[in-house]
Amino acid sequence: MAADPSAASAAADPDGPDAVRLTWNAWPRSKVEASRCVVPLAAAISPVRCPESLASPPLPYAPLRCKPPCSALLNPFARVDYAAKIWICPLCFSRNHFPPHYAGISESNVPAELFPQCSTVEYLVAGAPGGPAPGSPGPPPPVFLFVIDTCVIEEELEYVKMSMRKAVALLPEHALVGLVTFGTQVHLHELGFSDLSKIYVFRGTKEISKDQILDQLGLAGAGRPGFPKMPQQPGVQQVNGMHPSATAGVNRFLLPVSECECTLSTLLDELQPDQWPVETGHRAIRCTGVALSVAAGLLGACMPGTGARIIALLGGPCTEGPGVIVSKDLSEPVRSHKDLDKDAAPHFQKAVKFYDGLAKQLVSQGHVLDVFASALDQVGLAEMKLAIERTGGLVVLSESFGHSVFKDSFKRIFEGGEQSLGLSFNGTLEINCSKDIKVQGVIGPCTSLEKKGALCADTVVGQGNTTAWKMCGLDRNTSLTVFFDVSPSERSSQPGQQNPNLYIQFVTSYQHPEGQMRIRVTTISRKWVDGSTNTEELVEGFDQETAAVVLARYISLKMEIEEEFDATRWLDRSLIRLCSRFGDYRKDDPSSFSLHSNFSLFPQFMFNLRRSQFVQVFNNSPDETAYFRMLLNRESITNSVAMIQPSLISFSFDSPPSPVFLDVASIAADRILLLDAYFSVVIFHGMTIAQWRNMCYQNQPEHQQFAQLLQAPQDEAQVIISGRFPVPRLVVCDQHGSQARFLLAKLNPSATYNSAHDVAPGSDIIFTDDVSFQVFCEHLQRLAVQS
C-alpha cells in the first residue's frame, strides 16, 4: 500500500489556472451516495492566486449578470445565440439578453469572458463597491498601523526597532503609517506634530469604547461603525469623500511615509522598554486588549472602508484590562490544553468574547489584524484567533524578535516584486452553483455576510447559512475550503431532465495591491455520475491530497467546537469506511486488498495526520495549536499537505538528490536528509557525514565533492524558505544530536527499541510505543475487508 512519496507532487502546478481543487471531480447525484463517499464534497479555492496565470488581462468593463435570483456572471459555459443576442445561464437555464454595448458580438467576434480557456477572468471596475468612483483622484493608499509591545527587555526592543526601520524603508511613499506603543498604558503617537513628541495616553485597566477613544482624540463623530462615509452636512466640505474631522485625524495620526519618515525614525530611536516597575514574583503589566481597541477605533474614525492593517508586535501575555489571558501573579501558570478541557482557565471565555467583539468591529470597518508573537511564553493567540482569522490577518509565532522566523517574515510583508505576498483588501466571495447543489459553509480566513437563500444547506460547516463572505485581507496564498451538499430536486431526478454537468461559480471582489477594485470570476464544471453503478468515475475523480487537507481542516474545527470529540477514532472509522467502499478485495481476505492509485497515498496521509500537531495537541500550548490551525486553514493544498505529511529528500555520493520515504529506515550514516515540515526545515547529517565535516574535509581541495554535498541541502533549504510565509525555522543537526528530535518526531517508527535487532548498520531507532505505518496498514486491511 505504500507509494512513491514524489508521486503526489508530480504536477508542476496542481492547482491549475483556476486555483480550485475539489475532493471529488465527479459528483454522485444523490445525498445517500454522497454520504457513502465518506470524504465530503468540498472545494479549496485560492481567490486571488497568481494574476499572471490568467488567460486574459483584466477586462475594462463591468460583468454581465443573470437575472435574479440566480445573478451568476456570464462565463464560457453559457450557451449563446449570436443572432438573437441571447445567452442562457448554465446554472439556472434562464435566458438573458445582451445589453446594447455587446451588439457587435458574433461567432467570429467573441468577448473574452466567453473564451473556453477563460474559465477564470478578472474585471477592472471603477464603480465597484468599496472602490473609487469614476473621476475620483485615484485609489486610496494602503494603511499600516503598527502596535508595538514595549514590555520587553531592551535587546528585544532593539530587534523590533531594526525590523521597523527596514519595513518603513520598503513601504511605498504614499502608504499611510501610524504608531501605537503599549505596556502598562497605551500611547498613540501624533506623527503630524513633528516639532515635539505628542502622545495620547490611554489607561490599560479597563475596556474603552470606540466613542470614548474618538472623544479623547478629538475625532468624535468622525466615524460610525459600518458607515464608510460620513453624511454630507450643509456648509461642510468633504475631502476625497471623507468628513473633515476624519481628514484631520488622518493628517495627525496617519501620514504618508514620505512626510513622516524622519519623525518615525526619531520616535523609534527614543522608544524605551516600559518604565513601569514590575514587582518581584509578578509579570509585566501589559494591556494588549486596550491597545488593539485604540488602534481599531482610530482606523474606524479615519479610514473606514479602506484597506488598512493593524500590525501588532507582541512580546508576552496580556495581564491587564480586556483580553487578559493570565494574572500578573507568576504563581498562576498560563492556561494549557488540559485547563481548557477541564474549563479551568478563568480568563479564557471572557478574552474570547472580547476578541469576538473586536473582530466584528474590524470586519464592519473592513480592516485587518496581523499578529507577530515573539516570546518564549504564550501571548494569547488562542484567544485572538477569532479576530485574526475573521479579518483575514497574517500570523507569525517565533521565540524572539531577533529570530529569523520573525525578522524575515516581517520583512516579507512589505517587499515588492517576486517576493511580494500580493496583499489585497476588502474582498468578498460569492458562490453561485447549479440548483441541485447547496453550500454548507466555509472554513478559512473570512466572515459570513449572512446572505441567506435557496442555495444554503440545512447542515452548517464553519461559516455557513450564507452564500457570501467578507475577506478584509487576502493574499496570493489565501485559501478557503467550501463544503457542499447534494440536494436534487424532484424534477432534476426524473429521466430526461438530468443535466450531465454541474457548475460552480466563485465571484471574488477585492482591492488589488495596486489599489483598483477588481472582480475575479472563476466558473468550473464537473460531471454528475450515478455513484451506485459507476464507482469507476468517482474513483478516477478523487483528489487524495485535497481530501486529506479538507479532512484535516474539518476535524480541527470539530475539535474546537465539540467537547469530547475523538479525532483519532473519527479518522480511523472514516478511513476504514473509505477503503471498504473503494478498495478492491475478496471479503475476509486481507491479503487480497488493494487500492486504486488515486487512493494509494491516502492511508499514509491519514497515518501522519493522526500523529500531527493538528490532532495530538498534548505536546503543544494552546497558542501553538491555534497558530498551526490558522495556517492550515489559510494555506494552499500543496503547502497544507507538507504540514500533514512532510517531504524528505536524500543527498548522498551514490545518487542525485531524490525523495525517500518518511521513515526511520531512510537514515544512513553517509547520507544527508532534508525534511520540509512546512513550519520547520531540517538538515540532518548522518554520523559519518558529521564526522567528516567536523574534521574539515570540505576545506581540502581534493574533497570538493564533499563540500558540494554539504552545500546542496543548504541551497535547497534556502529555495524552500525564500518562497514561503511565514518563513520556516531552519534546523541544522546531526545524527544522535539533541536537535535530531525535529526529524525523528516526523518519521514512521518502523524501527523502535522493541525491534532494534532488525536495524541496518548506521541507521537509527525511535523510542516510541506508537505503531508503525506497516502495522497500521495491516489493521486497516483486516478491518476494511470485514465490512
Side-chain angles (χ1 to χ4, degrees), residues 229-242:
K229 290 180 184 176
M230 288 298 297
Q232 180 73 50
Q233 297 173 5
V236 176
Q237 185 174 352
Q238 294 192 359
V239 182
N240 289 344
M242 204 178 280

Side-chain angles (χ1 to χ4, degrees), residues 444-463:
C446 64
T447 301
S448 166
L449 283 175
E450 299 182 6
K451 184 183 177 184
K452 297 187 170 90
L455 296 179
C456 296
D458 295 332
T459 51
V460 173
V461 177
Q463 300 274 320

Side-chain angles (χ1 to χ4, degrees), residues 518-722:
R518 296 191 180 185
I519 297 175
R520 179 180 289 209
V521 184
T522 296
T523 312
I524 61 170
S525 176
R526 296 293 187 270
K527 282 183 68 176
W528 287 114
V529 296
D530 188 337
S532 57
T533 60
N534 199 346
T535 309
E536 279 184 25
E537 281 198 69
L538 280 178
V539 170
E540 290 292 341
F542 184 66
D543 183 335
Q544 54 193 335
E545 287 191 347
T546 305
V549 173
V550 165
L551 284 187
R553 292 172 180 174
Y554 184 62
I555 63 160
S556 293
L557 176 70
K558 288 176 80 73
M559 287 178 77
E560 286 181 3
I561 63 176
E562 293 183 21
E563 288 185 29
E564 306 298 323
F565 175 70
D566 190 336
T568 304
R569 191 178 180 85
W570 189 92
L571 282 172
D572 289 347
R573 286 177 169 175
S574 298
L575 182 58
I576 292 165
R577 284 173 57 211
L578 191 78
C579 290
S580 292
R581 173 83 168 88
F582 296 105
D584 186 16
Y585 57 89
R586 292 187 300 274
K587 188 165 174 58
D588 296 328
D589 182 3
S591 63
S592 67
F593 184 86
S594 65
L595 279 172
H596 187 277
S597 60
N598 278 10
F599 289 83
S600 59
L601 288 175
F602 197 70
Q604 280 177 293
F605 289 145
M606 293 300 99
F607 173 75
N608 286 296
L609 177 57
R610 292 165 86 255
R611 304 172 71 228
S612 73
Q613 63 267 46
F614 306 113
V615 175
Q616 305 297 337
V617 300
F618 66 88
N619 208 24
N620 295 315
S621 68
D623 270 19
E624 288 172 316
T625 299
Y627 176 61
F628 296 143
R629 287 177 177 168
M630 277 190 275
L631 288 174
L632 174 73
N633 288 347
R634 66 168 287 126
E635 281 298 323
S636 68
I637 294 296
T638 305
N639 284 346
S640 299
V641 166
M643 299 179 199
I644 296 167
Q645 179 169 302
S647 64
L648 194 62
I649 300 174
S650 165
F651 297 80
S652 67
F653 288 115
D654 304 332
S655 59
S658 56
V660 291
F661 290 116
L662 194 67
D663 194 296
V664 66
S666 296
I667 295 175
D670 59 350
R671 181 186 270 185
I672 304 174
L673 295 176
L674 175 66
L675 177 86
D676 177 10
Y678 189 82
F679 300 101
S680 60
V681 174
V682 182
I683 299 174
F684 177 93
H685 302 98
M687 274 189 305
T688 306
I689 298 283
Q691 287 169 358
W692 290 345
R693 183 205 60 215
N694 293 341
M695 294 165 75
C696 297
Y697 284 1
Q698 68 274 19
N699 298 332
Q700 299 172 13
E702 64 269 28
H703 293 301
Q704 282 304 301
Q705 192 179 357
F706 178 57
Q708 291 168 1
L709 178 66
L710 282 180
Q711 189 59 39
Q714 294 280 355
D715 294 342
E716 183 66 27
Q718 288 308 316
V719 170
I720 294 169
I721 289 169
S722 66

Side-chain angles (χ1 to χ4, degrees), residues 387-404:
I388 299 168
E389 204 159 45
R390 289 192 183 165
T391 61
L394 303 170
V395 58
V396 176
L397 186 63
S398 61
E399 296 169 4
S400 160
F401 288 115
H403 200 287
S404 61

Side-chain angles (χ1 to χ4, degrees), residues 164-179 191-192 194 254-269:
M164 280 291 298
R165 290 187 186 101
K166 288 178 184 175
V168 172
L170 288 168
L171 284 171
E173 290 200 340
H174 70 292
L176 300 181
V177 294
L179 180 64
L191 302 180
S194 56
L254 300 166
L255 265 73
V257 173
S258 57
E259 294 179 24
C260 69
E261 198 165 356
C262 289
T263 308
L264 207 52
S265 179
T266 304
L267 283 173
L268 289 173
D269 289 341

Side-chain angles (χ1 to χ4, degrees), residues 269-535:
D269 289 341
E270 295 173 352
L271 199 58
Q272 293 184 347
D274 189 62
Q275 300 298 302
W276 204 266
V278 179
E279 295 178 34
T280 306
H282 282 66
R283 295 181 174 89
I285 303 172
R286 184 184 277 107
C287 58
T288 312
V290 174
L292 294 176
S293 291
V294 170
L298 175 67
L299 289 180
C302 299
M303 308 299 292
T306 302
R309 309 187 82 92
I310 296 171
I311 302 178
L313 281 64
L314 310 181
C318 179
T319 58
E320 180 101 303
V324 164
I325 72 158
V326 67
S327 74
K328 292 181 276 289
D329 193 335
L330 273 172
S331 63
E332 180 189 318
V334 183
R335 76 278 176 284
S336 63
H337 276 295
K338 188 178 283 188
D339 295 328
L340 297 180
D341 291 341
K342 292 181 176 178
D343 203 16
H347 311 287
F348 184 75
Q349 291 301 335
K350 196 172 178 183
V352 168
K353 187 178 178 183
F354 166 74
Y355 284 110
D356 183 31
L358 184 68
K360 288 173 181 169
Q361 179 185 339
L362 289 170
V363 168
S364 72
Q365 296 171 181
H367 299 150
V368 185
L369 173 62
D370 301 323
V371 173
F372 288 81
S374 296
L376 292 170
D377 206 347
Q378 298 183 69
V379 304
L381 280 186
E383 289 83 352
M384 294 179 194
K385 184 173 183 286
L386 277 176
I388 299 168
E389 204 159 45
R390 289 192 183 165
T391 61
L394 303 170
V395 58
V396 176
L397 186 63
S398 61
E399 296 169 4
S400 160
F401 288 115
H403 200 287
S404 61
V405 171
F406 165 74
K407 290 194 296 185
D408 296 343
S409 300
F410 190 68
K411 184 182 170 191
R412 282 285 306 280
I413 291 187
F414 310 101
E415 284 181 326
E418 288 184 10
Q419 295 296 321
S420 168
L421 294 178
L423 296 180
S424 304
F425 298 96
N426 283 323
T428 59
L429 173 69
E430 287 181 66
I431 296 178
N432 304 306
C433 43
S434 298
K435 298 308 175 195
D436 293 349
I437 301 171
K438 300 282 186 278
V439 180
Q440 292 182 319
V442 168
I443 294 178
C446 64
T447 301
S448 166
L449 283 175
E450 299 182 6
K451 184 183 177 184
K452 297 187 170 90
L455 296 179
C456 296
D458 295 332
T459 51
V460 173
V461 177
Q463 300 274 320
N465 279 326
T466 182
T467 55
W469 295 263
K470 173 86 172 171
M471 296 174 288
C472 299
L474 63 165
D475 57 65
R476 291 181 184 177
N477 295 330
T478 301
S479 173
L480 300 173
T481 309
V482 188
F483 289 79
F484 297 98
D485 197 7
V486 175
S487 182
S489 62
E490 289 183 21
R491 184 183 171 199
S492 63
S493 57
Q494 292 171 2
Q497 297 288 337
Q498 294 182 343
N499 185 31
N501 295 325
L502 62 95
Y503 300 94
I504 303 172
Q505 187 177 78
F506 304 93
V507 182
T508 309
S509 171
Y510 71 104
Q511 183 183 326
H512 190 267
E514 294 174 8
Q516 327 102 334
M517 285 302 293
R518 296 191 180 185
I519 297 175
R520 179 180 289 209
V521 184
T522 296
T523 312
I524 61 170
S525 176
R526 296 293 187 270
K527 282 183 68 176
W528 287 114
V529 296
D530 188 337
S532 57
T533 60
N534 199 346
T535 309

